[in-house]
Amino acid sequence: MRVTFTVNGREEIADDVWEGESLLYVLRERVGLPGSKNACEQGECGSCTVYLDGVPVCSCLVAAGQAEGRQVRTVEGLAEEDRLDPVQQAFVECGAVQCGFCTPGLLVQAHDLIARVERPSDAEIREALAGNLCRCTGYEKIIEAVRLAAERKAAAG
């Protein structure tokens, strides 16, 4: 089947997509956006999180055909031109990136949280990121980065 959808503001067409193919596979292998990671293929780790029509989803659980005519925004689509999104910048500055495997999903989830809650508490940050597993950082630097990004966004108004 053919799937036509918008990814990071650009129309994409994927041909010969089979019924069981995931959105994650199409994004990585057919569209050439390797940011979202393939870790568990069961929606348990969050490393494949993307926006689908503005809602964070585990792209490993979304059949590619479900993206037909819809808007997808990946971790690559958070940055604007040559400028990192404030969440991405905060992760770099706080040392919240280690091996990087979980980072794309954490970035999308943190981006979504900050868009919804101006100054999230640590408990709200932990709740928002609860579906994203990280084996390297112990989460403290990640929480610090989300706090920093939220503070900067609130200050910028």
Side-chain angles (χ1 to χ4, degrees):
M1 84 177 113
R2 171 179 273 187
V3 179
T4 304
F5 57 114
T6 303
V7 181
N8 299 332
R10 199 174 91 204
E11 184 178 279
E12 295 287 347
I13 299 171
D15 285 320
D16 299 322
V17 175
W18 55 278
E19 291 82 16
E21 207 164 300
S22 69
L23 176 59
L24 174 62
Y25 183 87
V26 169
L27 290 170
R28 290 180 56 82
E29 305 301 330
R30 296 180 182 267
V31 178
L33 294 172
S36 303
K37 302 301 185 218
N38 186 6
C40 73
E41 294 185 353
Q42 297 176 358
E44 296 290 331
C45 72
S47 67
C48 67
T49 304
V50 300
Y51 284 110
L52 181 61
D53 290 337
V55 177
V57 298
C58 290
S59 60
C60 71
L61 297 180
V62 177
Q66 291 179 292
E68 176 66 36
R70 298 175 77 182
Q71 302 280 327
V72 175
R73 188 174 183 194
T74 68
V75 68
E76 291 94 340
L78 297 181
E80 292 184 24
E81 296 178 19
D82 292 337
R83 193 172 40 113
L84 292 176
D85 180 85
V87 174
Q88 293 169 313
Q89 187 62 44
F91 267 60
V92 172
E93 290 176 22
C94 292
V97 177
Q98 291 205 4
C99 83
F101 213 79
C102 66
T103 305
L106 285 164
L107 287 168
V108 172
Q109 286 288 52
H111 184 270
D112 179 65
L113 172 65
I114 293 169
R116 293 183 293 105
V117 180
E118 185 175 298
R119 293 184 192 269
S121 66
D122 284 1
E124 289 170 313
I125 294 169
R126 290 178 191 279
E127 177 68 24
L129 303 181
N132 296 78
L133 302 179
C134 175
R135 295 181 179 180
C136 301
T137 66
Y139 298 96
E140 289 308 314
K141 290 181 184 266
I142 293 167
I143 292 167
E144 179 184 332
V146 176
R147 245 190 265 122
L148 177 61
E151 289 169 11
R152 287 182 176 165
K153 182 178 180 195

